[in-house]
Amino acid sequence: NTAAKRYTDSNFAIIDYSVNAPPFAKNPNVQGLTFATNENSYMIGCLAALMAEKQGGRQVISAVGGIKLPTVDIFIAGYQAGAKECVPATRVLVGYSQDFVAQDKCKEIALNQIAQGSQVVFQVAGGCGLGALDAAKQRDKWGIGVDRDQSSLGPHILTSAVKRVDQSVFLASKSVVDGEFKGGTDAVFDLENEGVAIGKMSPEVPQEFIDRMNEIKERLISGELTAPSTL
């Protein structure tokens, strides 16, 4: 904000932050790069619910958030709604660690959720969330990564809700080159412009579940379905 006010002839972009939020006050040379992570999380919620239904038993899945912020809740809101869309009887447990670093805090919450029947744990807590994924591995449950493809953590990773920061930076830079940069506004990166995505999926996911997810993707892009962004 300080630099943008000082260098008014330069363009600035801030990743994962809105220009409508303090301290920006819609600076005319600043653009917010925001992500519709409710959309890919909606698809993943559907997958998680279908996998829980396939395994039988209690239809419970869960999410472990870091601090309760809009950028965290947007993932969880989509995840919950997608689960209910595909398997209405699904119960979604949600807990917050109040931390983005301490893995033990997220692991404890995930273990408690698994004890309550969760078959799939979605981490939305950065480094802390690695603890939640470790809990899923330890208890032989599915884990879902966040922000980047976390399939490298092991075969217990069902998939990941990927935030395409690379795509957002490329498109923002391209808009400057093309003379289309719009300061004072937020650019939204979603399924349609490939700003959010689904990470590598476990080979154990049935093709019919992938087809269902792709059907939902098309409905979200067309506007036939709307993924909620708040809890």
Side-chain angles (χ1 to χ4, degrees):
N1 185 51
T2 300
K5 287 183 175 180
R6 181 174 178 182
Y7 300 102
T8 55
D9 291 335
S10 295
N11 294 314
F12 293 80
I14 182 165
I15 296 171
D16 216 9
Y17 202 86
S18 171
V19 292
N20 297 309
F24 290 103
K26 297 185 179 180
N27 299 50
N29 58 333
V30 179
Q31 185 175 59
L33 309 186
T34 63
F35 299 87
T37 49
N38 51 326
E39 293 187 349
N40 55 341
S41 295
Y42 192 102
M43 294 171 62
I44 287 171
C46 171
L47 174 62
L50 291 171
M51 292 297 285
E53 183 180 52
K54 175 177 177 288
Q55 290 173 202
R58 298 168 68 182
Q59 304 301 298
V60 183
I61 62 174
S62 62
V64 178
I67 297 171
K68 187 173 172 59
L69 297 169
T71 49
V72 170
D73 281 350
I74 189 173
F75 282 97
I76 299 173
Y79 179 69
Q80 284 190 144
K84 298 289 187 181
E85 170 70 21
C86 292
V87 185
T90 303
R91 181 183 176 203
V92 184
L93 306 177
V94 179
Y96 297 88
S97 63
Q98 305 305 323
D99 199 296
F100 286 114
V101 179
Q103 294 185 27
D104 59 317
K105 294 180 180 179
C106 285
K107 185 170 185 176
E108 182 180 358
I109 291 171
L111 287 172
N112 287 336
Q113 292 173 340
I114 292 168
Q116 295 177 68
S118 178
Q119 300 292 317
V120 186
V121 180
F122 182 21
Q123 82 99 340
V124 193
C128 174
L130 295 174
L133 297 180
D134 188 55
K137 180 179 181 179
Q138 185 178 313
R139 293 290 190 266
D140 197 27
K141 304 299 180 184
W142 289 112
I144 297 173
V146 77
D147 291 339
R148 65 177 182 85
D149 189 330
Q150 295 189 303
S151 59
S152 61
L153 295 175
H156 64 295
I157 301 300
L158 181 62
T159 190
S160 304
V162 177
K163 188 180 292 183
R164 290 288 309 277
V165 174
D166 56 341
Q167 177 77 339
S168 73
V169 171
F170 171 77
L171 292 177
S173 302
K174 185 176 184 295
S175 73
V176 174
V177 173
D178 295 343
E180 298 174 353
F181 182 87
K182 296 179 181 178
T185 66
D186 288 330
V188 179
F189 299 93
D190 53 18
L191 288 173
E192 185 171 14
N193 61 21
E194 300 181 349
V196 295
I198 305 295
K200 181 180 178 181
M201 282 191 277
S202 166
E204 293 188 35
V205 175
Q207 183 60 47
E208 63 186 287
F209 292 0
I210 296 173
D211 293 342
R212 183 73 183 275
M213 291 174 70
N214 287 333
E215 175 199 359
I216 283 175
K217 178 179 180 179
E218 294 306 314
R219 292 171 68 195
L220 287 167
I221 290 174
S222 70
E224 182 184 343
L225 272 180
T226 301
S229 58
T230 57
L231 292 172

PDB file of all heavy atoms in Angstrom, residues 152-176:
ATOM      1  N   SER A 152       2.362 -36.126  -3.431  1.00  0.00           N
ATOM      2  CA  SER A 152       3.688 -36.685  -3.140  1.00  0.00           C
ATOM      3  C   SER A 152       3.812 -37.148  -1.684  1.00  0.00           C
ATOM      4  O   SER A 152       4.754 -37.872  -1.336  1.00  0.00           O
ATOM      5  CB  SER A 152       4.787 -35.656  -3.435  1.00  0.00           C
ATOM      6  OG  SER A 152       4.623 -34.511  -2.617  1.00  0.00           O
ATOM      7  N   LEU A 153       2.856 -36.761  -0.840  1.00  0.00           N
ATOM      8  CA  LEU A 153       2.917 -37.157   0.569  1.00  0.00           C
ATOM      9  C   LEU A 153       2.591 -38.630   0.777  1.00  0.00           C
ATOM     10  O   LEU A 153       2.882 -39.183   1.831  1.00  0.00           O
ATOM     11  CB  LEU A 153       1.966 -36.288   1.403  1.00  0.00           C
ATOM     12  CG  LEU A 153       2.320 -34.802   1.484  1.00  0.00           C
ATOM     13  CD1 LEU A 153       1.238 -34.044   2.238  1.00  0.00           C
ATOM     14  CD2 LEU A 153       3.673 -34.595   2.155  1.00  0.00           C
ATOM     15  N   GLY A 154       1.984 -39.255  -0.219  1.00  0.00           N
ATOM     16  CA  GLY A 154       1.718 -40.681  -0.098  1.00  0.00           C
ATOM     17  C   GLY A 154       0.394 -41.106  -0.705  1.00  0.00           C
ATOM     18  O   GLY A 154      -0.425 -40.265  -1.098  1.00  0.00           O
ATOM     19  N   PRO A 155       0.170 -42.413  -0.786  1.00  0.00           N
ATOM     20  CA  PRO A 155      -1.050 -42.943  -1.416  1.00  0.00           C
ATOM     21  C   PRO A 155      -2.334 -42.673  -0.629  1.00  0.00           C
ATOM     22  O   PRO A 155      -3.425 -42.944  -1.136  1.00  0.00           O
ATOM     23  CB  PRO A 155      -0.764 -44.446  -1.499  1.00  0.00           C
ATOM     24  CG  PRO A 155       0.241 -44.715  -0.431  1.00  0.00           C
ATOM     25  CD  PRO A 155       1.090 -43.487  -0.359  1.00  0.00           C
ATOM     26  N   HIS A 156      -2.184 -42.131   0.585  1.00  0.00           N
ATOM     27  CA  HIS A 156      -3.391 -41.795   1.358  1.00  0.00           C
ATOM     28  C   HIS A 156      -4.008 -40.477   0.902  1.00  0.00           C
ATOM     29  O   HIS A 156      -5.100 -40.123   1.344  1.00  0.00           O
ATOM     30  CB  HIS A 156      -3.066 -41.708   2.852  1.00  0.00           C
ATOM     31  CG  HIS A 156      -2.110 -40.606   3.209  1.00  0.00           C
ATOM     32  ND1 HIS A 156      -0.803 -40.592   2.774  1.00  0.00           N
ATOM     33  CD2 HIS A 156      -2.266 -39.476   3.948  1.00  0.00           C
ATOM     34  CE1 HIS A 156      -0.194 -39.504   3.244  1.00  0.00           C
ATOM     35  NE2 HIS A 156      -1.069 -38.817   3.943  1.00  0.00           N
ATOM     36  N   ILE A 157      -3.320 -39.749   0.033  1.00  0.00           N
ATOM     37  CA  ILE A 157      -3.860 -38.480  -0.469  1.00  0.00           C
ATOM     38  C   ILE A 157      -4.867 -38.761  -1.579  1.00  0.00           C
ATOM     39  O   ILE A 157      -4.513 -39.292  -2.633  1.00  0.00           O
ATOM     40  CB  ILE A 157      -2.735 -37.553  -0.978  1.00  0.00           C
ATOM     41  CG1 ILE A 157      -1.730 -37.257   0.134  1.00  0.00           C
ATOM     42  CG2 ILE A 157      -3.334 -36.250  -1.519  1.00  0.00           C
ATOM     43  CD1 ILE A 157      -2.302 -36.560   1.355  1.00  0.00           C
ATOM     44  N   LEU A 158      -6.113 -38.409  -1.331  1.00  0.00           N
ATOM     45  CA  LEU A 158      -7.186 -38.639  -2.301  1.00  0.00           C
ATOM     46  C   LEU A 158      -7.025 -37.700  -3.491  1.00  0.00           C
ATOM     47  O   LEU A 158      -7.069 -38.123  -4.644  1.00  0.00           O
ATOM     48  CB  LEU A 158      -8.543 -38.440  -1.622  1.00  0.00           C
ATOM     49  CG  LEU A 158      -9.786 -38.670  -2.469  1.00  0.00           C
ATOM     50  CD1 LEU A 158      -9.852 -40.114  -2.963  1.00  0.00           C
ATOM     51  CD2 LEU A 158     -11.048 -38.331  -1.658  1.00  0.00           C
ATOM     52  N   THR A 159      -6.829 -36.423  -3.213  1.00  0.00           N
ATOM     53  CA  THR A 159      -6.551 -35.404  -4.221  1.00  0.00           C
ATOM     54  C   THR A 159      -6.208 -34.122  -3.471  1.00  0.00           C
ATOM     55  O   THR A 159      -6.043 -34.128  -2.251  1.00  0.00           O
ATOM     56  CB  THR A 159      -7.749 -35.194  -5.172  1.00  0.00           C
ATOM     57  OG1 THR A 159      -7.350 -34.354  -6.276  1.00  0.00           O
ATOM     58  CG2 THR A 159      -8.938 -34.558  -4.460  1.00  0.00           C
ATOM     59  N   SER A 160      -6.113 -33.001  -4.183  1.00  0.00           N
ATOM     60  CA  SER A 160      -5.794 -31.712  -3.555  1.00  0.00           C
ATOM     61  C   SER A 160      -6.604 -30.600  -4.212  1.00  0.00           C
ATOM     62  O   SER A 160      -6.908 -30.657  -5.407  1.00  0.00           O
ATOM     63  CB  SER A 160      -4.292 -31.388  -3.707  1.00  0.00           C
ATOM     64  OG  SER A 160      -3.480 -32.409  -3.174  1.00  0.00           O
ATOM     65  N   ALA A 161      -6.942 -29.584  -3.416  1.00  0.00           N
ATOM     66  CA  ALA A 161      -7.603 -28.385  -3.935  1.00  0.00           C
ATOM     67  C   ALA A 161      -6.496 -27.376  -4.288  1.00  0.00           C
ATOM     68  O   ALA A 161      -5.934 -26.744  -3.410  1.00  0.00           O
ATOM     69  CB  ALA A 161      -8.549 -27.799  -2.894  1.00  0.00           C
ATOM     70  N   VAL A 162      -6.201 -27.272  -5.565  1.00  0.00           N
ATOM     71  CA  VAL A 162      -5.045 -26.503  -6.019  1.00  0.00           C
ATOM     72  C   VAL A 162      -5.428 -25.060  -6.334  1.00  0.00           C
ATOM     73  O   VAL A 162      -6.402 -24.792  -7.037  1.00  0.00           O
ATOM     74  CB  VAL A 162      -4.414 -27.165  -7.260  1.00  0.00           C
ATOM     75  CG1 VAL A 162      -3.241 -26.327  -7.790  1.00  0.00           C
ATOM     76  CG2 VAL A 162      -3.942 -28.578  -6.924  1.00  0.00           C
ATOM     77  N   LYS A 163      -4.641 -24.156  -5.808  1.00  0.00           N
ATOM     78  CA  LYS A 163      -4.777 -22.720  -6.088  1.00  0.00           C
ATOM     79  C   LYS A 163      -3.699 -22.374  -7.114  1.00  0.00           C
ATOM     80  O   LYS A 163      -2.503 -22.428  -6.814  1.00  0.00           O
ATOM     81  CB  LYS A 163      -4.583 -21.923  -4.801  1.00  0.00           C
ATOM     82  CG  LYS A 163      -4.880 -20.456  -4.912  1.00  0.00           C
ATOM     83  CD  LYS A 163      -4.647 -19.763  -3.569  1.00  0.00           C
ATOM     84  CE  LYS A 163      -5.635 -20.171  -2.510  1.00  0.00           C
ATOM     85  NZ  LYS A 163      -5.448 -19.434  -1.243  1.00  0.00           N
ATOM     86  N   ARG A 164      -4.106 -22.000  -8.334  1.00  0.00           N
ATOM     87  CA  ARG A 164      -3.144 -21.791  -9.417  1.00  0.00           C
ATOM     88  C   ARG A 164      -2.554 -20.373  -9.352  1.00  0.00           C
ATOM     89  O   ARG A 164      -2.872 -19.496 -10.164  1.00  0.00           O
ATOM     90  CB  ARG A 164      -3.811 -22.028 -10.760  1.00  0.00           C
ATOM     91  CG  ARG A 164      -4.176 -23.481 -11.052  1.00  0.00           C
ATOM     92  CD  ARG A 164      -2.956 -24.335 -11.349  1.00  0.00           C
ATOM     93  NE  ARG A 164      -2.116 -23.750 -12.369  1.00  0.00           N
ATOM     94  CZ  ARG A 164      -2.335 -23.873 -13.698  1.00  0.00           C
ATOM     95  NH1 ARG A 164      -3.367 -24.569 -14.132  1.00  0.00           N
ATOM     96  NH2 ARG A 164      -1.516 -23.313 -14.555  1.00  0.00           N
ATOM     97  N   VAL A 165      -1.670 -20.161  -8.394  1.00  0.00           N
ATOM     98  CA  VAL A 165      -1.004 -18.865  -8.251  1.00  0.00           C
ATOM     99  C   VAL A 165      -0.212 -18.551  -9.515  1.00  0.00           C
ATOM    100  O   VAL A 165      -0.153 -17.404  -9.958  1.00  0.00           O
ATOM    101  CB  VAL A 165      -0.098 -18.860  -7.000  1.00  0.00           C
ATOM    102  CG1 VAL A 165       0.711 -17.570  -6.928  1.00  0.00           C
ATOM    103  CG2 VAL A 165      -0.936 -19.020  -5.742  1.00  0.00           C
ATOM    104  N   ASP A 166       0.397 -19.574 -10.122  1.00  0.00           N
ATOM    105  CA  ASP A 166       1.163 -19.360 -11.354  1.00  0.00           C
ATOM    106  C   ASP A 166       0.284 -18.784 -12.466  1.00  0.00           C
ATOM    107  O   ASP A 166       0.674 -17.850 -13.174  1.00  0.00           O
ATOM    108  CB  ASP A 166       1.822 -20.660 -11.809  1.00  0.00           C
ATOM    109  CG  ASP A 166       0.822 -21.814 -11.995  1.00  0.00           C
ATOM    110  OD1 ASP A 166      -0.304 -21.742 -11.458  1.00  0.00           O
ATOM    111  OD2 ASP A 166       1.197 -22.799 -12.667  1.00  0.00           O
ATOM    112  N   GLN A 167      -0.923 -19.320 -12.598  1.00  0.00           N
ATOM    113  CA  GLN A 167      -1.847 -18.844 -13.619  1.00  0.00           C
ATOM    114  C   GLN A 167      -2.285 -17.411 -13.332  1.00  0.00           C
ATOM    115  O   GLN A 167      -2.382 -16.584 -14.253  1.00  0.00           O
ATOM    116  CB  GLN A 167      -3.073 -19.771 -13.683  1.00  0.00           C
ATOM    117  CG  GLN A 167      -4.170 -19.350 -14.662  1.00  0.00           C
ATOM    118  CD  GLN A 167      -3.853 -19.647 -16.104  1.00  0.00           C
ATOM    119  OE1 GLN A 167      -2.695 -19.810 -16.465  1.00  0.00           O
ATOM    120  NE2 GLN A 167      -4.873 -19.697 -16.939  1.00  0.00           N
ATOM    121  N   SER A 168      -2.536 -17.095 -12.063  1.00  0.00           N
ATOM    122  CA  SER A 168      -2.976 -15.740 -11.712  1.00  0.00           C
ATOM    123  C   SER A 168      -1.891 -14.711 -12.006  1.00  0.00           C
ATOM    124  O   SER A 168      -2.182 -13.627 -12.529  1.00  0.00           O
ATOM    125  CB  SER A 168      -3.387 -15.670 -10.238  1.00  0.00           C
ATOM    126  OG  SER A 168      -2.266 -15.728  -9.379  1.00  0.00           O
ATOM    127  N   VAL A 169      -0.644 -15.039 -11.686  1.00  0.00           N
ATOM    128  CA  VAL A 169       0.465 -14.113 -11.941  1.00  0.00           C
ATOM    129  C   VAL A 169       0.666 -13.936 -13.448  1.00  0.00           C
ATOM    130  O   VAL A 169       0.879 -12.819 -13.937  1.00  0.00           O
ATOM    131  CB  VAL A 169       1.754 -14.611 -11.258  1.00  0.00           C
ATOM    132  CG1 VAL A 169       2.956 -13.771 -11.705  1.00  0.00           C
ATOM    133  CG2 VAL A 169       1.608 -14.562  -9.740  1.00  0.00           C
ATOM    134  N   PHE A 170       0.575 -15.040 -14.179  1.00  0.00           N
ATOM    135  CA  PHE A 170       0.730 -14.956 -15.636  1.00  0.00           C
ATOM    136  C   PHE A 170      -0.352 -14.075 -16.257  1.00  0.00           C
ATOM    137  O   PHE A 170      -0.063 -13.176 -17.057  1.00  0.00           O
ATOM    138  CB  PHE A 170       0.691 -16.353 -16.262  1.00  0.00           C
ATOM    139  CG  PHE A 170       0.625 -16.337 -17.766  1.00  0.00           C
ATOM    140  CD1 PHE A 170       1.759 -16.062 -18.519  1.00  0.00           C
ATOM    141  CD2 PHE A 170      -0.573 -16.558 -18.422  1.00  0.00           C
ATOM    142  CE1 PHE A 170       1.699 -16.021 -19.906  1.00  0.00           C
ATOM    143  CE2 PHE A 170      -0.644 -16.510 -19.806  1.00  0.00           C
ATOM    144  CZ  PHE A 170       0.493 -16.250 -20.547  1.00  0.00           C
ATOM    145  N   LEU A 171      -1.609 -14.324 -15.887  1.00  0.00           N
ATOM    146  CA  LEU A 171      -2.707 -13.565 -16.484  1.00  0.00           C
ATOM    147  C   LEU A 171      -2.679 -12.098 -16.067  1.00  0.00           C
ATOM    148  O   LEU A 171      -3.008 -11.214 -16.869  1.00  0.00           O
ATOM    149  CB  LEU A 171      -4.049 -14.199 -16.121  1.00  0.00           C
ATOM    150  CG  LEU A 171      -4.329 -15.578 -16.742  1.00  0.00           C
ATOM    151  CD1 LEU A 171      -5.665 -16.130 -16.247  1.00  0.00           C
ATOM    152  CD2 LEU A 171      -4.328 -15.491 -18.264  1.00  0.00           C
ATOM    153  N   ALA A 172      -2.273 -11.820 -14.823  1.00  0.00           N
ATOM    154  CA  ALA A 172      -2.158 -10.421 -14.378  1.00  0.00           C
ATOM    155  C   ALA A 172      -1.056  -9.717 -15.156  1.00  0.00           C
ATOM    156  O   ALA A 172      -1.225  -8.566 -15.599  1.00  0.00           O
ATOM    157  CB  ALA A 172      -1.877 -10.366 -12.883  1.00  0.00           C
ATOM    158  N   SER A 173       0.066 -10.381 -15.335  1.00  0.00           N
ATOM    159  CA  SER A 173       1.169  -9.800 -16.096  1.00  0.00           C
ATOM    160  C   SER A 173       0.775  -9.587 -17.557  1.00  0.00           C
ATOM    161  O   SER A 173       1.089  -8.555 -18.165  1.00  0.00           O
ATOM    162  CB  SER A 173       2.401 -10.711 -16.019  1.00  0.00           C
ATOM    163  OG  SER A 173       2.795 -10.918 -14.687  1.00  0.00           O
ATOM    164  N   LYS A 174       0.074 -10.572 -18.119  1.00  0.00           N
ATOM    165  CA  LYS A 174      -0.378 -10.469 -19.507  1.00  0.00           C
ATOM    166  C   LYS A 174      -1.334  -9.290 -19.685  1.00  0.00           C
ATOM    167  O   LYS A 174      -1.306  -8.595 -20.717  1.00  0.00           O
ATOM    168  CB  LYS A 174      -1.068 -11.768 -19.927  1.00  0.00           C
ATOM    169  CG  LYS A 174      -1.469 -11.832 -21.393  1.00  0.00           C
ATOM    170  CD  LYS A 174      -2.048 -13.210 -21.726  1.00  0.00           C
ATOM    171  CE  LYS A 174      -2.357 -13.318 -23.210  1.00  0.00           C
ATOM    172  NZ  LYS A 174      -3.420 -12.385 -23.621  1.00  0.00           N
ATOM    173  N   SER A 175      -2.176  -9.048 -18.667  1.00  0.00           N
ATOM    174  CA  SER A 175      -3.124  -7.936 -18.775  1.00  0.00           C
ATOM    175  C   SER A 175      -2.400  -6.594 -18.842  1.00  0.00           C
ATOM    176  O   SER A 175      -2.863  -5.652 -19.502  1.00  0.00           O
ATOM    177  CB  SER A 175      -4.106  -7.953 -17.596  1.00  0.00           C
ATOM    178  OG  SER A 175      -3.491  -7.535 -16.392  1.00  0.00           O
ATOM    179  N   VAL A 176      -1.241  -6.494 -18.174  1.00  0.00           N
ATOM    180  CA  VAL A 176      -0.432  -5.275 -18.250  1.00  0.00           C
ATOM    181  C   VAL A 176       0.124  -5.119 -19.661  1.00  0.00           C
ATOM    182  O   VAL A 176       0.038  -4.047 -20.276  1.00  0.00           O
ATOM    183  CB  VAL A 176       0.708  -5.299 -17.208  1.00  0.00           C
ATOM    184  CG1 VAL A 176       1.618  -4.081 -17.405  1.00  0.00           C
ATOM    185  CG2 VAL A 176       0.139  -5.314 -15.791  1.00  0.00           C
TER     186      VAL A 176
END
